[in-house]
Amino acid sequence: MPATSPNATIALAAGGTGGHLFPAEALARELQRRGHAVVIYTERRGAQYTKALEGIPHVVLPARSLAGGIGGKLAAALVIARAALAARRDMKRRRVALLAGFGGYPSFAPAVAARTLGLPLLLHEQATRLSVANRRLLGSAAALATSFPQVSGTDDFDPARMTETGNPVRAEILAARGDYPGLSADTPIELLVVGGSQSARVFGDVVPPALLALPPDIRSRLRVALQYRGDDADAIAARLREAGIDADVRPFFDDMGARLRAAHLVVTRAGATTAADLLVVGRPAIFVPIPHGGSREEQRRNADTLADAGVGWCVPEPELTVEKLSGLLGELFASTIKLPQAAAIAASMGRPQAAADLADLVERMLARGTR
């Protein structure tokens, strides 16, 4: 089948977290806008993002991490083989011409299926270091798109096949672009606290007492949106309000674009998709990288890179004490210069055209029939 067949489909594979799925969604919608047929392969967690997948054909495949001992790896290999066979059948039925992989272990099986069919594989890396899945697939990739100029783990890959596109962001994030909200000594201060798609317990433990420790004149100006899943969410909101803080505490915000647009400062993890959203909208942040798991090193690198650029401040979770956070917040909120300066740097680094640039790369690969 020629790669340029008019009935061909472009497939995308993404892990089950928002950090992997949202960039895939952004590319899928850009390709749909250009008239291409698309399909997203993900796993059950990814399928829970019903708003992101609305109107996009998608297939839910079994998935399992390769982490663990010999028994775990064997079990994972069987799951991956089953998923790869299912993906292969679906790709043949849809006449898939190319697969774009966005990382996460659920993207591995569709990539294997694509290679058995001789399809070109485009990998997209959101972070400053190749993910485990992308690292294992890199040798089979026809091209690699990156979000940053320098990505660790790519030394052996042909630079001519690498393209810096940036990290695609969702339409609601693009719509949130605009001037940084005015900040003076007497205006309200909008603080957004989010822990990624999985939330973050530490933010519920440390942020509220840090806010309560702020001077009364700052507390009275604060409007806080805190993403928190704990059973004591109502009690936390009540304590903040009693201290004069306008607080909205919820387990999940489904209007992230509007909240980012309103925010003067964001307290957040340092996932690559979170970083891309912040840069596109142009908002400064206090980054608290995840302290454990496979994302630990990736998030620390992201946070350090952005902090060094002047976009925000990196506070490793072991150092995130009530006293340290309260002191930093007090310093930032007492200044009318520091946050706007960081916001301007963030906006200068944003890549709002990333989805379009990545779609251009896909179309160039299709035109060349790249393998």
Side-chain angles (χ1 to χ4, degrees), residues 3 10 32 95 130-131 155 175 195 200 224 235 245-246 250 271 286 307 357:
I10 299 169
Q32 285 181 320
R95 298 174 59 81
L130 278 182
S131 68
D155 292 346
V224 179
I245 298 172
D246 185 344
R250 301 187 194 181
I286 295 174
D357 287 349

Side-chain angles (χ1 to χ4, degrees), residues 28-322:
R29 295 199 187 281
E30 174 64 20
L31 291 170
Q32 285 181 320
R33 188 186 67 79
R34 298 183 184 197
H36 295 285
V38 301
V39 60
I40 291 181
Y41 297 105
T42 187
E43 47 115 10
R44 59 174 183 79
R45 292 180 303 157
Q48 294 174 357
Y49 291 97
T50 54
K51 182 178 178 182
L53 292 172
E54 184 177 358
I56 301 176
H58 57 279
V59 177
V60 180
L61 297 172
R64 177 167 175 162
S65 171
L66 284 167
I70 295 177
K73 285 182 168 57
L74 287 174
L78 291 174
V79 172
I80 291 171
R82 192 166 75 250
L85 286 173
R88 191 178 193 278
R89 288 193 296 268
D90 191 75
M91 288 177 182
K92 291 182 70 175
R93 181 178 66 84
R94 295 178 189 271
R95 298 174 59 81
V96 167
L98 176 147
L99 176 74
F102 285 82
Y105 62 83
S107 70
F108 196 80
V112 171
R115 295 311 293 163
T116 66
L117 292 170
L119 303 178
L121 172 62
L122 166 63
L123 297 180
H124 182 273
E125 180 53 60
Q126 295 99 56
T128 55
R129 179 184 179 87
L130 278 182
S131 68
V132 173
N134 281 350
R135 194 157 61 243
R136 290 177 173 171
L137 292 168
L138 191 62
S140 300
L144 173 66
T146 66
S147 300
F148 293 92
Q150 302 295 326
V151 177
S152 176
T154 62
D155 292 346
D156 295 331
F157 194 73
D158 182 2
R161 293 189 285 151
M162 293 176 58
T163 305
E164 183 192 351
T165 61
N167 195 5
V169 301
R170 296 162 287 163
E172 69 166 310
I173 301 300
L174 290 175
R177 298 174 65 210
D179 294 337
Y180 185 72
L183 184 63
S184 65
D186 56 359
T187 55
I189 303 168
E190 299 280 354
L191 176 66
L192 176 61
V193 184
V194 288
S197 59
Q198 306 304 311
S199 189
R201 175 79 200 190
V202 67
F203 291 165
D205 292 340
V206 176
V207 172
L211 298 178
L212 294 174
L214 291 170
D217 61 320
I218 293 181
R219 292 202 309 265
S220 65
R221 296 167 55 204
L222 271 177
R223 295 178 179 174
V224 179
L226 170 63
Q227 182 195 47
Y228 179 65
R229 297 177 185 270
D231 295 336
D232 54 344
D234 290 342
I236 288 175
R239 285 200 302 273
L240 293 174
R241 291 170 188 148
E242 288 170 3
I245 298 172
D246 185 344
D248 183 5
V249 182
R250 301 187 194 181
F252 186 77
F253 295 123
D254 58 6
D255 56 347
M256 191 56 67
R259 291 184 182 273
L260 279 176
R261 184 181 179 90
H264 290 102
L265 176 67
V266 183
V267 179
T268 184
R269 291 301 196 190
T273 295
T274 296
D277 290 353
L278 288 167
L279 296 179
V280 166
V281 180
R283 295 299 179 264
I286 295 174
F287 297 103
V288 184
I290 193 168
H292 50 75
S295 299
R296 174 179 59 187
E297 191 63 28
E298 168 198 321
Q299 291 213 2
R300 182 59 188 264
R301 285 173 177 265
N302 294 344
D304 285 342
T305 297
L306 294 172
D308 289 345
V311 170
W313 299 263
C314 176
V315 182
E317 186 169 317
E319 301 174 20
L320 188 71
T321 63
V322 171

